[in-house]
Structures are given as structure tokens and as C-alpha cells.
Amino acid sequence: MIKNYMEEVVDKVLIEVLNDYKDSCHCAMCIDDIKAMALNRLPPQYICTEKGLLYTKSNELMTQFKTDIIKEVIMAIEIVTKNPRHEHSHNIIA
């Protein structure tokens, strides 16, 4: 099975970073929009073997790798917060 490991990394970073954005909407729609926006701006990391997973996980240890992901997630949070696809009353904590 082929999988984009970057999705897992973005999920993990998003949870960490979103805690600092209390005024942002945390509903499923906004979270999906944030993830999609960040993933579209990051290079995919496709894996299909255990060896590929280990290699990709080792990249996570590199400071620049994580910094790039955090930067894109923060940018996506700020854009989605300013332009949600729903009314502000939809601010449900997921």
C-alpha cells in the first residue's frame, strides 16, 4: 500500500500548533482545510515499505524538515481562520 507519510506528520504537528490558536475554529471542516492547504504546499513523502518508513521517519529528526512543516501549518491556520468556509457560529471544538 502506498501512503503519503507527510499526512501523518502534518496531523501530528497540527495538533501541537493548533493548541496555540485558541481563537481559531477547530471544527472538522476547518481542520481539513488547514491540512489540505499545508499538504499542498509541502513535498509528499510516499512510502510503501518498512524501509521507506524508517528512512522517512529519520528525516523528521532534521530541524529544517520540522520547521518547514510548522511554517506551512501556521500559514494555513492563519488563512483558514481569516477565511472560514462557514459562519463563525460554527466554531465547534473537535
Side-chain angles (χ1 to χ4, degrees):
M1 172 198 271
I2 295 176
K3 145 183 185 173
N4 183 1
Y5 183 69
M6 189 62 78
E7 289 184 42
E8 285 185 30
V9 178
V10 167
D11 282 340
K12 190 170 25 172
V13 169
L14 179 57
I15 291 168
E16 295 169 11
V17 174
L18 203 53
N19 287 329
D20 295 333
Y21 286 84
K22 304 292 185 207
D23 294 336
S24 295
C25 181
H26 296 184
C27 77
M29 181 185 294
C30 286
I31 288 174
D32 283 349
D33 287 346
I34 292 165
K35 286 168 45 175
M37 188 171 291
L39 285 167
N40 280 329
R41 296 180 52 89
L42 290 163
Q45 298 288 321
Y46 293 109
I47 56 171
C48 61
T49 65
E50 189 67 30
K51 184 177 177 183
L53 177 61
L54 293 174
Y55 173 76
T56 304
K57 280 190 172 196
S58 71
N59 277 347
E60 265 188 84
L61 300 176
M62 296 183 348
T63 305
Q64 190 61 51
F65 179 78
K66 188 155 185 180
T67 301
D68 291 345
I69 294 168
I70 291 170
K71 181 186 95 177
E72 294 302 337
V73 167
I74 288 172
M75 188 181 313
I77 290 171
E78 291 174 355
I79 291 170
V80 171
T81 297
K82 290 177 185 171
N83 305 290
R85 289 190 298 142
H86 57 71
E87 297 298 319
H88 291 288
S89 62
H90 194 252
N91 196 0
I92 302 167
I93 303 298

